[in-house]
Amino acid sequence: MTGTEVLTGRISDQNGPWLSEQLLALGVDVAHITICGDRPADLAAQLRFLAEQGVDLIVTSGGLGPTADDLTVATVAEFCGRELRLDPELEEHIADIIRRWRPDTPDIDEGPTRVGIRKQAMVPAGAASLPPTGTAPGVVIPAVGGPTPIPTVVILPGPPGELQAMWPSAIAAPTVAEVLARADDLQQATLRAYGLHEAQLAETLRLAETRVPEFDRLEITTCLRRGELDMVTRFASADAGVYRQLLDVLTEHHGRQIFSTDGSTIEDQLVEALGGRLIATAESCTGGLVAARLTDRPGSSEYVMGGVVSYSNAAKADLIDVPAEMIAEHGAVSEQVAAAMAEGARRRLKTDVAVSTTGIAGPGGGTEAKPVGTVCFGVAIAGRPTHTVTRRFPGDRERVRALTTTAALHLVVQQLRRADSEN
Amino acid sequence: MTGTEVLTGRISDQNGPWLSEQLLALGVDVAHITICGDRPADLAAQLRFLAEQGVDLIVTSGGLGPTADDLTVATVAEFCGRELRLDPELEEHIADIIRRWRPDTPDIDEGPTRVGIRKQAMVPAGAASLPPTGTAPGVVIPAVGGPTPIPTVVILPGPPGELQAMWPSAIAAPTVAEVLARADDLQQATLRAYGLHEAQLAETLRLAETRVPEFDRLEITTCLRRGELDMVTRFASADAGVYRQLLDVLTEHHGRQIFSTDGSTIEDQLVEALGGRLIATAESCTGGLVAARLTDRPGSSEYVMGGVVSYSNAAKADLIDVPAEMIAEHGAVSEQVAAAMAEGARRRLKTDVAVSTTGIAGPGGGTEAKPVGTVCFGVAIAGRPTHTVTRRFPGDRERVRALTTTAALHLVVQQLRRADSEN
């Protein structure tokens, strides 16, 4: 996996996690993710390291561009002891692509553009190339046995869109399919909890260790994310019963906090809880994040009517009718205002449900009574009294905004279910 | 760097990029980022690999929790050939922290909680511990010379907030400071372009190679991000002149696309271009992402009044007065509607400036005339005719939404500057 842009802190690596998830789903046990810059020596060292670990498959991403700093294919080819050869058909194919998206390019047949195209059309001897999903083709290099065996290597482009589009043809390549056929029969189960501290889960897991026979056949990972605690467990299909026993222990102790054992996310559950009802948002401190998360989802226009980012007091009054006197009396960060925001959004956007956030994300604006991280929520549901609550979140501005967004989604689901159970 | 949660695809690693950026700023050349799961053998193999590469410093993150799967300190201690010893003072310090945030904990002095605390209070012989910023202390282990030298190792917690809070005390530790003192005098310069294709930049870089003497003293990385092309260049301070010559060549060819050479982001430039003016948003396909990005910034309440997520046609009419007939005649995705959205938001939110987005993010909703990725923008500035434009973006829903958000920010900056130059 190459990427100086990761080393320089510009971006965090999306491809490693994505590829791992795909491979895991295919039963492949992913042991290492390595990232290096554009120095061939560093990449070569990582390839040697991975080969020495006895892995069956190496997948690289990135370093396939036309720029001189993109050296993955050449470096991997040398590592595999294979010569690079120009594939004339591939060269023309890439040239055609560039002609299509840059019809104006003057020197497509000569000059620097052609140099870049030719560079991208070099394929290691005996390797198969994967059709470009951008301009860069991928490469599959078969394994070689012997005293110092070389694993199968799959070379993919760096842009996540291109990489993900190329993945199906990569795993369909005979040499790769042959490796995947040897993968163990691994399963992965995800449990999601909200309002549960990692240390509390740790204690219950210690207890389960003593209660559940063959507990050690489960590979458990816990991960905090945006205020939710995910527990990912991997096990051989034969040990599914062991996992079920663990689930029983966890449910017994944390049934209230565990909101998902089937992999569903809170977004999935929100759509289900809405059951066709329409929703709107009224956001202050989250500044649009709640609406953005609701509309992330394809087809969300079916149930998301829209929302208001009432960042200023004037906006609260003008757009969703929050009385200026109320803000003056209780402050913009108050349950009264949160309720008025939710009700105003519901009325103005003509929906069945509306959720509001108003709080102090920081770093400024905190007071003794309402320190940074204080957030008031409102949930308005047609035909019911509006529900409000105040929470206090830790961390910096970004964290407070993220935790508030997650809390808003959980609050809506909780209130919708309560409404349904009481009606 | 440990993290099964990364291997399982749950999250992407934030700590690697963040640490790299910090180290780089200190002049440290970061060669490798490695990620493995909670298997001690995998972590040990990576430690050996990094030591063999002759690095001076290894920084690990994660695996310090109370759970049994957190084995970083024990594994690193064994790698360094140091025994683990319980630090009673540290144990009490951690217990105090837990008492503070979980006063209700029953078995703080006995039972599973104490087991977890004691685990976190184990320190390798001869190592220094770093005060916890959550519950987990960090560790600094001094280097050891000899035939197979062991580099200085810094062990940090996994949660980005805790890790970043602990960083200052980590680099202040004498053994670490001593390593950092040996770092080269590296500089990093960032150039940002918008509307420039990576392949075009690649061509110009090839040209610069022939024009700029000592070009090869620059380490250049290009990185596409949310529709912007970043070029990060690293060089010894003595070679600053070489970088300036490269800048001249790039400006000559791509002056119009290069919008930043001082590291400033489009958000920075937007605030500057506003120059005290107030802004509002009216979003359809971006569903709140533009407002969220504007309000990411501390102090943004000074100039962001708010916004409207008019996802449904009704919302467009009710909240920002887009005539239903206009939508019926031209469609919701049209420059007419984009203009009406921006003007309506500006009027309703009483601002000087407003920007709107309405488009087809996909996967559904595309037509022959308006395929997925088609987005109309509007920018309304007080006292000027409203500017509108239609763009077509590639990629999936997430990509279209991200590219649209970036485009909106650039459009506002461009129009504000035009307004100022013409007034």
Side-chain angles (χ1 to χ4, degrees):
Chain A
M1 187 137 327
T2 67
T4 300
E5 57 269 39
V6 178
L7 287 187
T8 51
R10 284 284 149 285
I11 58 166
S12 69
D13 172 43
Q14 292 179 51
N15 291 330
W18 189 87
L19 287 167
S20 299
E21 193 158 27
Q22 303 307 311
L23 287 164
L24 201 57
L26 295 167
V28 176
D29 180 356
V30 180
H32 301 276
I33 296 179
T34 66
I35 298 163
C36 66
D38 297 321
R39 274 187 300 241
D42 292 342
L43 175 56
Q46 292 187 349
L47 292 168
R48 275 195 306 277
F49 163 68
L50 294 170
E52 284 162 8
Q53 299 310 306
V55 301
D56 300 301
L57 178 68
I58 296 177
V59 182
T60 76
S61 76
L64 303 189
T67 45
D69 60 329
D70 290 315
L71 290 160
T72 302
V73 175
T75 308
V76 173
E78 190 183 355
F79 166 72
C80 297
R82 296 171 185 263
E83 279 189 359
L84 280 180
R85 295 179 187 159
L86 179 67
D87 179 335
E89 267 182 42
L90 189 56
E91 181 182 1
E92 273 329 291
H93 181 52
I94 298 170
D96 288 340
I97 293 170
I98 293 183
R99 278 194 195 89
R100 242 179 291 123
W101 56 254
R102 285 174 54 207
D104 55 328
T105 309
D107 55 3
I108 190 77
D109 294 319
E110 285 315 320
T113 309
R114 176 60 60 166
V115 176
I117 294 172
R118 207 160 277 148
K119 173 173 172 304
Q120 292 184 295
M122 299 297 284
V123 180
S129 72
L130 303 167
T133 49
T135 66
V139 181
V140 173
I141 306 176
V144 181
T148 54
I150 290 173
T152 303
V153 183
V154 176
I155 301 175
L156 299 175
E162 291 185 32
L163 176 137
Q164 292 172 22
M166 194 178 286
W167 183 244
S169 61
I171 58 176
T175 39
V176 179
E178 187 269 326
V179 174
L180 296 178
R182 284 188 272 117
D184 336 345
D185 176 20
L186 270 182
Q187 279 190 35
Q188 174 174 319
T190 301
L191 171 150
R192 302 184 204 277
Y194 183 66
L196 179 64
H197 195 285
E198 203 169 11
Q200 296 166 289
L201 178 60
E203 292 162 22
T204 312
L205 286 174
R206 284 214 179 72
L207 180 73
E209 214 167 340
T210 65
R211 283 230 217 130
V212 177
E214 306 196 274
F215 176 89
D216 58 2
R217 301 183 68 84
L218 306 175
E219 186 179 333
I220 298 171
T221 307
T222 57
C223 161
L224 270 170
R225 197 171 57 133
R226 299 194 295 198
E228 292 175 353
L229 181 59
D230 287 3
M231 186 184 89
V232 180
T233 308
R234 298 166 62 189
F235 49 86
S237 301
D239 297 320
V242 182
Y243 178 69
R244 270 193 301 276
Q245 290 179 66
L246 170 60
L247 264 191
D248 293 340
V249 176
L250 293 174
T251 313
E252 175 191 327
H253 286 73
H254 309 296
R256 268 183 37 258
Q257 289 82 23
I258 296 169
F259 68 91
S260 169
T261 55
D262 60 1
S264 66
T265 64
I266 191 62
E267 284 92 339
D268 298 329
Q269 297 186 9
L270 177 65
V271 176
E272 200 190 335
L274 278 171
R277 283 174 284 200
L278 305 178
I279 188 168
T281 60
E283 305 181 63
S284 187
C285 60
T286 45
L289 288 172
V290 176
R293 229 171 118 177
L294 287 176
T295 55
D296 261 346
R297 211 185 170 80
S300 47
S301 54
E302 303 263 318
Y303 49 90
V304 180
M305 287 302 98
V308 165
V309 179
S310 53
Y311 216 55
S312 65
N313 292 343
K316 291 180 181 68
D318 298 343
L319 290 174
I320 46 178
D321 320 308
V322 180
E325 316 70 56
M326 180 187 276
I327 297 175
E329 185 182 346
H330 302 285
V333 179
S334 63
E335 296 194 16
Q336 291 87 344
V337 168
M341 287 171 66
E343 289 160 5
R346 197 177 83 71
R347 193 168 49 250
R348 288 294 196 103
L349 283 137
K350 305 191 178 74
T351 60
D352 310 289
V353 187
V355 58
S356 68
T357 64
T358 177
I360 300 147
T367 66
E368 184 76 29
K370 296 172 184 173
V372 167
T374 305
V375 180
C376 299
F377 298 83
V379 178
I381 302 178
R384 294 178 59 87
T386 297
H387 173 83
T388 63
V389 60
T390 302
R391 298 279 309 276
R392 194 165 296 175
F393 300 107
D396 61 10
R397 182 179 180 85
E398 187 186 352
R399 181 133 185 260
V400 168
R401 280 160 53 98
L403 293 176
T404 301
T405 303
T406 301
L409 300 184
H410 280 274
L411 195 63
V412 172
V413 172
Q414 173 206 94
Q415 290 302 311
L416 284 171
R417 287 179 180 160
R418 178 168 299 169
D420 293 345
S421 67
E422 287 170 14
N423 292 351
Chain B
M1 189 138 326
T2 68
T4 300
E5 57 268 38
V6 179
L7 287 187
T8 50
R10 284 283 149 285
I11 58 166
S12 69
D13 172 43
Q14 293 179 50
N15 292 329
W18 189 87
L19 287 167
S20 299
E21 193 158 27
Q22 304 306 311
L23 288 165
L24 201 58
L26 295 166
V28 176
D29 180 356
V30 180
H32 302 276
I33 296 178
T34 67
I35 298 163
C36 67
D38 297 322
R39 274 189 301 241
D42 291 342
L43 175 56
Q46 293 187 349
L47 292 167
R48 276 194 305 277
F49 163 69
L50 294 170
E52 285 161 8
Q53 301 309 305
V55 301
D56 300 301
L57 178 68
I58 295 175
V59 182
T60 76
S61 77
L64 304 188
T67 45
D69 60 329
D70 291 315
L71 291 161
T72 302
V73 175
T75 308
V76 173
E78 190 183 355
F79 166 72
C80 297
R82 296 171 186 263
E83 280 188 358
L84 281 181
R85 294 178 188 161
L86 179 66
D87 179 335
E89 267 183 44
L90 189 55
E91 181 180 0
E92 274 329 292
H93 180 52
I94 297 169
D96 288 339
I97 294 171
I98 292 183
R99 280 195 195 89
R100 245 178 289 122
W101 57 255
R102 286 175 55 204
D104 55 328
T105 309
D107 54 3
I108 190 76
D109 294 319
E110 285 315 318
T113 309
R114 176 59 61 165
V115 175
I117 293 171
R118 205 160 279 148
K119 173 175 173 300
Q120 292 184 296
M122 299 297 283
V123 182
S129 73
L130 303 168
T133 50
T135 65
V139 180
V140 173
I141 306 176
V144 180
T148 54
I150 290 172
T152 303
V153 183
V154 176
I155 302 174
L156 299 176
E162 290 184 33
L163 176 137
Q164 293 172 22
M166 194 178 287
W167 183 243
S169 61
I171 58 177
T175 38
V176 179
E178 185 267 328
V179 173
L180 296 178
R182 286 187 270 118
D184 339 345
D185 174 23
L186 271 182
Q187 280 188 33
Q188 174 172 320
T190 302
L191 170 150
R192 303 185 203 276
Y194 183 66
L196 179 65
H197 195 285
E198 203 170 9
Q200 296 166 288
L201 178 60
E203 292 162 22
T204 311
L205 286 174
R206 285 213 179 72
L207 180 72
E209 214 168 338
T210 64
R211 282 231 218 128
V212 176
E214 306 197 273
F215 176 89
D216 58 4
R217 301 183 69 85
L218 306 176
E219 186 179 333
I220 297 171
T221 307
T222 58
C223 162
L224 269 172
R225 199 171 55 134
R226 300 194 295 198
E228 292 175 353
L229 181 58
D230 287 3
M231 185 183 89
V232 178
T233 308
R234 298 169 61 191
F235 49 86
S237 301
D239 297 320
V242 182
Y243 178 69
R244 271 193 300 277
Q245 291 179 65
L246 169 60
L247 264 190
D248 293 341
V249 176
L250 293 174
T251 315
E252 174 190 328
H253 286 73
H254 309 296
R256 266 184 37 260
Q257 289 82 21
I258 296 169
F259 69 91
S260 169
T261 56
D262 61 0
S264 66
T265 64
I266 192 62
E267 285 92 340
D268 299 329
Q269 298 186 9
L270 177 68
V271 175
E272 200 192 335
L274 278 171
R277 283 173 285 199
L278 305 179
I279 188 168
T281 59
E283 307 181 61
S284 186
C285 59
T286 46
L289 287 172
V290 176
R293 230 170 118 178
L294 287 176
T295 55
D296 261 346
R297 211 185 170 82
S300 48
S301 54
E302 304 259 320
Y303 50 89
V304 181
M305 287 302 97
V308 164
V309 179
S310 52
Y311 217 55
S312 64
N313 291 344
K316 292 181 181 68
D318 299 341
L319 291 174
I320 44 177
D321 319 308
V322 179
E325 315 71 54
M326 181 188 274
I327 297 175
E329 186 182 347
H330 303 285
V333 178
S334 63
E335 296 194 15
Q336 292 87 341
V337 168
M341 286 172 67
E343 289 160 5
R346 195 176 85 71
R347 192 169 49 248
R348 287 295 196 103
L349 284 137
K350 306 191 177 72
T351 60
D352 310 291
V353 188
V355 58
S356 67
T357 64
T358 177
I360 300 146
T367 65
E368 183 78 28
K370 295 172 186 175
V372 167
T374 306
V375 180
C376 298
F377 298 84
V379 179
I381 302 178
R384 295 178 57 87
T386 298
H387 173 83
T388 63
V389 59
T390 301
R391 301 277 309 274
R392 193 163 296 175
F393 300 107
D396 61 10
R397 181 179 181 84
E398 188 187 350
R399 181 134 186 259
V400 168
R401 279 161 53 99
L403 294 177
T404 301
T405 303
T406 302
L409 300 185
H410 280 273
L411 195 62
V412 172
V413 171
Q414 173 208 95
Q415 290 302 310
L416 283 171
R417 287 179 180 159
R418 177 170 299 169
D420 293 345
S421 67
E422 287 171 14
N423 291 352

